[in-house]
Each structure stands twice: as structure tokens, then as C-alpha cells.
Amino acid sequence: AAKEGITAEWWTYPQAPPDLVGQVRQICQTWMAGKGLPEMSFTLGGLDQLNDPHIRCLIAVGADGKVHGITSWMPVYASGRPVGWTLDLMRRNTEPGAFRGVMEFLIATAALTFGQEGAHFVSLSGAPLARLDRGERPSAPQRLLDMIATIIEPVYGFQSLLQFKAKFQPVYQPLYLAYPD
């Protein structure tokens, strides 16, 4: 990134310069247009979630002012203060000439920054409908979810998202959805 003149800039979306906001909006619209289905905002962040002043955005910007990618990070609180950060939105510029390793650059930069700030952890968040194969025989509901995941993988890419996140050598923690019945 440094060799190509790309830097990582921390912003809150409401306070980011209009030019950066416009480019981020365009990157997100281009990303969505390529999906062919609506954004699953209940599982992954979108532009609407960025308008929170507590969410930090890390934006990769070239020397020419071109936005190459953005990640957003939600605080995780304990005793009223942030103790960790969770990755939410990830979008990269897909135009010709955009820096290809931008997501790795942004995630690594964020992890280093949060570590320097004393965060207890950084979460790469989940990859909905994707799971590690641990050699266990899946239950009937899990087989149904696996089938659904296979069908929508070409559009949403949850399994490829899990594979991308694996390169950071995370500690895997199960996630559960609880709701009143």
C-alpha cells in the first residue's frame, strides 16, 4: 500500500469529507448492483449503519484522493467503554487500477491500531450460513441451512467470506441467534 501511495484514514462517516463519502457511496452502489439481490442488512452492515458516530470507518485513499476500499468497525462495550471492535462493512473499489490487497491492508491496519489503543480483541464478525467442516454429521436443520447456503453462495459469497477471513488465523467462536418465542 505504501509503495503505491495508499494510506489508511480513520473517519466517522458523518464527519468524513463529502468527496470521500461520495466515493464510498458509489463503491457500495456498484457492489450492490453486481449482486442482483437486495442487501441483507440484518447480517452485514450497509451505508445506513455508518451514520452512527460511534462506528469507526477506515478508508484506503490513494495519493490522488481515490478511495480504494472501506471497512467499518463497531465498538463492543463492557462497563460502558469500548473493549473491542467488530468488523461490519467491507467494500472495495473494483475499478481498473484499484489496489487489490485493500481489504487485507485495512483489516491489518485496524487490528494494529486497536491493539495500540488497548483493545482486548478484534472480531472479524461472522460469515452467515457458512461454517467450518469439523467432521461432524450435521443435523437436519443444519443440512437445510447448508443447502440454502450453497444455492445463494454465488450471489452473497458467505463461504468465500469465511475463507477470506481464515487468512487472518482467527479464533473461531460459535454465534447463536436467540429470540423470544
Side-chain angles (χ1 to χ4, degrees):
K3 182 177 163 184
E4 295 193 26
I6 297 169
T7 58
E9 299 181 8
W10 284 105
W11 293 95
T12 62
Y13 194 71
Q15 295 178 335
D19 181 51
L20 289 184
V21 169
Q23 289 184 68
V24 166
R25 186 175 290 117
Q26 182 60 48
I27 289 168
C28 289
Q29 288 171 348
T30 300
W31 184 83
M32 279 307 305
K35 294 296 176 192
L37 290 173
E39 192 163 32
M40 295 180 72
S41 59
F42 66 90
T43 60
L44 303 169
L47 279 176
D48 292 342
Q49 288 75 33
L50 295 182
N51 278 322
D52 182 330
H54 298 101
I55 292 177
R56 294 170 69 177
C57 296
L58 189 56
I59 304 174
V61 183
D64 59 357
K66 178 180 179 176
V67 172
H68 290 260
I70 179 174
T71 55
S72 71
W73 300 87
M74 299 183 304
V76 178
Y77 293 95
S79 301
R81 66 177 193 85
V83 295
W85 294 88
T86 298
L87 177 62
D88 193 26
L89 178 105
M90 290 192 312
R91 299 287 187 272
R92 66 179 180 87
N93 191 331
T94 56
E95 294 175 355
F99 179 52
R100 292 187 50 81
V102 70
M103 285 301 119
E104 292 86 347
F105 168 62
L106 290 171
I107 291 169
T109 299
L112 290 170
T113 299
F114 294 140
Q116 291 167 353
E117 293 175 356
H120 295 202
F121 66 90
V122 173
S123 171
L124 296 178
S125 196
L129 296 177
R131 64 184 181 88
L132 294 176
D133 183 359
R134 299 180 183 208
E136 301 165 350
R137 184 184 164 147
S139 65
Q142 184 60 60
R143 286 193 305 274
L144 176 63
L145 289 173
D146 289 347
M147 186 176 67
I148 292 168
T150 300
I151 292 167
I152 66 172
E153 176 66 21
V155 178
Y156 285 112
F158 296 133
Q159 191 64 39
S160 59
L161 178 62
L162 181 68
Q163 292 168 353
F164 169 80
K165 291 176 179 184
K167 69 174 73 175
F168 295 96
Q169 300 177 353
V171 174
Y172 293 96
Q173 300 286 335
L175 298 173
Y176 300 93
L177 176 63
Y179 63 94
D181 186 355

